[in-house]
Amino acid sequence: MITKRGTVKKTPLNEYSNPRAGGIIAINLEENDELMGVKMTDGSQEIIIGTRNGLAIHFKEAEVRPIGRSGKGVRGIELRPEDQVIGMEVVKKEEIILVATENGFGKKTKVKEYRTQSRGGKGVINVKTNQRNGQVIAIKRVTDNDDIMLITQKGVVNRQPVKTIGTMGRNTQGVRLIRLQEQDKLVSIARLIHEDETVTEAPENKEV
């Protein structure tokens, strides 16, 4: 789990084996914090966390010890003033990360471009956030066989193949993903996996 203020938490899935009608506590959030994402892992993978101001941190999951449902978690990334987490992905070094910004720009970057750091660091530049790009709205693990769906504030939807998006280094501005109408912003992207892609079951000792 990852929160807006950079807290990361890992809990064995069997902690959630006795649900109640009204739900059960998954994480204790501090004031002004909120849950931004949850991913399934096998306990030995790598994590990338992205922020609104264009930074990202890449660390080994083993640095996050498992804790119970009611725990608060530990620091995943040290945020600068006015920054916040926008997403998290479980990755492998040979994979690709797609990042998108509110003004409709984005790019693909190889995971190996993000050097592995210790959990809780300040991260490295993920994409340039400037007047052209605006702030980051999403970070997604993708493959060139996927499509992505882009959704704007005014309800415009655009679908396109990932393979048409350029692969670039971290410290770059990216390319235009969608041409926005006046006063519109890109607010969300979704990864669309092709129907013929095989889905692998996660191992029994998986954690979240």
Side-chain angles (χ1 to χ4, degrees):
M1 304 179 195
I2 185 68
T3 77
K4 181 174 71 174
R5 294 176 62 184
T7 296
V8 66
K9 180 185 175 185
K10 181 170 70 174
T11 302
L13 198 59
N14 60 17
E15 293 265 349
Y16 304 92
S17 58
N18 295 308
R20 303 186 185 98
I24 56 177
I25 294 173
I27 183 173
N28 267 318
L29 295 170
E30 295 185 353
E31 188 176 358
N32 299 321
D33 203 0
E34 60 186 88
L35 192 62
M36 299 300 292
V38 180
K39 297 292 181 181
M40 195 83 73
T41 76
D42 65 10
S44 61
Q45 295 173 279
E46 297 183 2
I47 306 296
I48 286 185
I49 297 170
T51 81
R52 182 173 61 181
N53 288 347
L55 297 174
I57 189 167
H58 177 200
F59 59 87
K60 294 183 183 299
E61 180 194 340
E63 292 195 27
V64 183
R65 62 180 179 82
I67 57 178
R69 289 189 298 102
S70 60
K72 292 183 178 180
V74 295
R75 177 180 290 172
I77 184 170
E78 182 180 347
L79 296 172
R80 291 167 171 79
E82 308 304 321
D83 203 1
Q84 69 179 55
V85 169
I86 50 86
M88 171 184 71
E89 287 291 332
V90 178
V91 298
K92 298 177 182 177
K93 282 191 169 60
E94 65 271 18
E95 293 183 317
I96 296 172
I97 287 292
L98 173 70
V99 59
T101 68
E102 62 183 352
N103 290 342
F105 294 88
K107 64 184 174 73
K108 296 182 305 192
T109 301
K110 295 178 180 178
V111 169
K112 64 182 180 182
E113 293 260 348
Y114 300 83
R115 61 182 175 85
T116 305
Q117 298 178 267
S118 296
R119 173 190 60 77
K122 294 182 178 181
V124 296
I125 294 174
N126 182 21
V127 62
K128 288 184 176 179
T129 52
N130 48 29
Q131 186 173 4
R132 187 197 82 152
N133 280 357
Q135 294 178 316
V136 180
I137 58 96
I139 182 171
K140 296 287 182 183
R141 178 178 60 87
V142 297
T143 77
D144 280 343
N145 294 323
D146 298 333
D147 288 352
I148 57 167
M149 190 79 78
L150 309 174
I151 305 166
T152 80
Q153 194 172 52
K154 291 187 175 181
V156 176
V157 175
N158 173 284
R159 179 172 179 167
Q160 58 186 269
V162 170
K163 64 184 178 183
T164 64
I165 302 169
T167 301
M168 306 176 182
R170 290 186 298 99
N171 193 9
T172 55
Q173 294 190 97
V175 297
R176 188 185 297 276
L177 300 179
I178 183 172
R179 191 171 296 278
L180 298 169
Q181 300 173 12
E182 188 175 353
Q183 303 300 318
D184 202 2
K185 295 288 185 183
L186 186 62
V187 294
S188 180
I189 64 173
R191 176 192 178 197
L192 304 177
I193 303 172
H194 282 203
E195 292 180 2
D196 58 354
E197 182 173 328
T198 301
V199 178
T200 303
E201 291 289 335
E204 288 299 318
N205 64 340
K206 52 187 175 288
E207 297 171 307
V208 293

